[in-house]
Amino acid sequence: MTGRPFPAAVFPGHGGLDGATARRRYVTVSFLFWLPIGMSIATGVLLFTERGMGLAAIAGFYAVHSLTAAAMELPTGGLSDVIGRRPVLAVAGLLNLTAFTLIGLGAAGWAIALGMGLMGLARALSSGPAEAWYVDTVHAHAGPDADLRTGLARGSSATSAALALGTLLGGGLPWLLGLAPGLGQWLADTTGGLVIPLSVPALLGALVEGVFVLYVLSALPEPPRPRTTLRRVMGGVPAAIAAGLRLGARDALIRRILLTASAAGAALAAVELLTPGRAAALMGTAESGALVFAGLACAGFLCSALGSQLAPLVARFAGSSERAVLASLGLVTLGLTLLGLTTHAMSPLATTVAVTGYGLVYLGLGAAGPNENDLLHRRVDASGRATALSVQSLSLQLVAAGAGLGAGALPPGPLPWLLAATAVLAGALLWVRRAAPAPVPPHPGSSATEGPVAAPVPAGPLHDTAPEEIHPHARPT
């Protein structure tokens, strides 16, 4: 595998899709996958509580989800590079369909834990294949120098919009069902207690996942991969994992991207852990605080969507994707600092400043993501693209888990916020200097004295399992 660009004519198998069509389908897939997850955000804890689960058990359910996603992130990323993007995405949708059904109907702890575990596995499977399919398809049509930022930005915006809309639907449906006298009790009596108003968003999410699977199978063509066996698949996945782990070690730019993902994980951990308590303290009760946080979370997703949509514009004004990442992370640092400085203040001015800081965090993260991934896809070829995205997601998730534990152990006050701001500032400073282009070996027939040429870096030894035609060239909030 040389990493040499091929002309667009040798990229068969993507159904002749042009860039605009591929972009629309990528946006649709992103929206359909994340809409049910957004619907579960507002009602998840309340549903488990209504089923008789204590807080310790609920924390355990979410731990099952997080640990499963982290443990399977790299293996499933490698699987996508071995057997294809479409089948892995379809399996992720089927797992989520099963998970939402178990969560919506399950009254026993084991059923809910199993559902959360399946959702974590689906999260790991979905980390990278859709985006990798989009980049592969665009490169097949327009070559390795095609613009990616616009499509990546719209996909990220669709994810954020789906989470925002899903949060509103998930919180509003049980409330609307409660307006009809006796409807909730009728649902419970008719189904033997399996269906209650709080479980309706999860069951509706299962239906959406069915639509997602059908759309993936019908709308995402890709080149046929070599016929393989279970033994070859199992042999190719560890190679892809090892290649992913070597990415940061041998390429300074990819190392920056992974460290930046870690900084984003620290920021998200602080925001997601500390904001609900601040909302409850502001409103005086946990119930009203939860309602305020749901609205604030929806606003955060919308800010993230706006930031993603503005990512290409930020890159043009800044002069490059690297400078755009620097500016975006500076915005995140400012937002976390504002949240830290207003921790103990409850005045209207302080609350306004804190809400502004919250919005800046998500706006900056939304603008940084597409520009980081634009740089990543120009550095990694098709045989390891999904693996690289999984390594990036894993970096974010692991640091988010550790940062969350650390923030919870610190005394309440500005310190957790300011430490998160410091971590993001350190990530921003990585982008002050531009990275050198990646050198590639001289092509056959070229002079050995020629200088290095910027080119995608192959992610690993997948010659036997990746199609030769497509060699060249994520945690939402």
Side-chain angles (χ1 to χ4, degrees):
M1 183 157 43
T2 64
R4 295 174 59 186
F6 286 78
V10 300
F11 287 89
H14 288 87
L17 299 182
D18 58 25
T21 302
R23 184 165 58 243
R24 286 195 298 270
R25 296 188 182 187
Y26 170 56
V27 167
T28 303
V29 165
S30 300
F31 184 87
L32 288 175
F33 183 82
W34 288 102
L35 179 64
I37 296 174
M39 293 169 65
S40 70
I41 290 176
T43 58
V45 174
L46 295 175
L47 173 61
F48 301 153
T49 302
E50 189 71 14
R51 297 294 194 192
M53 306 299 164
L55 288 179
I58 294 173
F61 297 149
Y62 283 100
V64 169
H65 174 276
S66 298
L67 292 175
T68 304
M72 299 303 297
E73 189 68 65
L74 284 181
T76 53
L79 184 64
S80 170
D81 287 328
V82 171
I83 68 173
R85 324 302 191 194
R86 181 170 59 182
V88 171
L89 276 174
V91 171
L94 291 174
L95 288 173
N96 261 347
L97 187 156
T98 306
F100 283 119
T101 303
L102 286 170
I103 291 171
L105 299 179
W110 67 266
I112 297 174
L114 177 59
M116 294 296 282
L118 292 177
M119 193 181 299
L121 179 57
R123 173 68 183 90
L125 281 167
S126 69
S127 176
E131 186 171 319
W133 175 87
Y134 167 70
V135 176
D136 291 344
T137 305
V138 171
H139 283 170
H141 179 263
D145 294 326
D147 173 66
L148 298 174
R149 276 193 299 258
T150 301
L152 295 176
R154 292 185 183 178
S156 184
S157 295
T159 296
S160 299
L163 288 169
L165 178 61
T167 301
L168 293 178
L169 287 175
L173 281 174
W175 177 78
L176 289 174
L177 292 173
L179 294 179
L183 179 58
Q185 188 61 45
W186 176 83
L187 282 174
D189 292 341
T190 303
T191 60
L194 292 178
V195 179
I196 59 176
L198 285 171
S199 65
V200 170
L203 297 176
L204 183 59
L207 294 178
V208 176
E209 289 292 348
V211 175
F212 168 82
V213 172
L214 293 176
Y215 187 82
V216 165
L217 293 176
S218 63
L220 302 188
E222 60 179 341
R225 296 182 181 249
R227 296 179 66 88
T228 187
T229 63
L230 178 62
R231 180 178 178 182
R232 293 184 66 188
V233 170
M234 297 305 293
V237 170
I241 295 172
L245 294 175
R246 290 195 300 268
L247 285 173
R250 71 186 182 195
D251 190 293
L253 179 60
I254 294 177
R255 187 160 57 247
R256 288 186 190 184
I257 293 171
L258 297 181
L259 291 172
T260 302
S262 299
L268 288 169
V271 170
E272 293 172 357
L273 180 69
L274 302 175
T275 304
R278 290 184 64 167
L282 178 67
M283 300 304 297
T285 66
E287 292 78 10
S288 57
L291 181 62
V292 169
F293 176 67
L296 194 59
C298 178
F301 293 139
L302 293 176
C303 286
S304 180
L306 177 61
S308 297
Q309 200 67 24
L310 294 175
L313 182 63
V314 174
R316 284 196 293 271
F317 274 113
S320 68
S321 290
E322 292 173 321
R323 294 293 183 185
V325 174
L326 173 62
S328 300
L329 293 181
L331 205 62
V332 177
T333 303
L334 175 60
L336 290 169
T337 302
L338 292 177
L339 284 164
L341 295 177
T342 56
T343 301
H344 294 305
M346 295 291 182
S347 67
L349 177 60
T351 301
T352 302
V353 171
V355 171
T356 301
Y358 184 92
L360 290 178
V361 169
Y362 282 96
L363 184 69
L365 290 174
N371 286 300
E372 291 174 38
N373 285 14
D374 174 68
L375 294 166
L376 178 66
H377 291 308
R378 297 184 187 281
R379 211 70 161 196
V380 181
D381 74 357
S383 67
R385 184 164 294 128
T387 300
L389 290 167
S390 290
V391 175
Q392 183 187 25
S393 177
L394 180 62
S395 300
L396 186 149
Q397 291 185 53
L398 289 179
V399 172
L405 292 174
L410 291 171
L415 183 59
W417 296 103
L418 297 180
L419 286 177
T422 302
V424 176
L425 178 61
L429 294 178
L430 295 172
W431 299 92
V432 171
R433 296 182 59 188
R434 298 194 65 175
V440 295
H443 303 323
S446 64
S447 171
T449 61
E450 291 178 357
V453 180
V457 177
L462 292 175
H463 307 280
D464 295 335
T465 53
E468 292 293 326
E469 294 83 357
I470 56 173
H471 276 192
H473 163 237
R475 158 174 156 155
T477 51

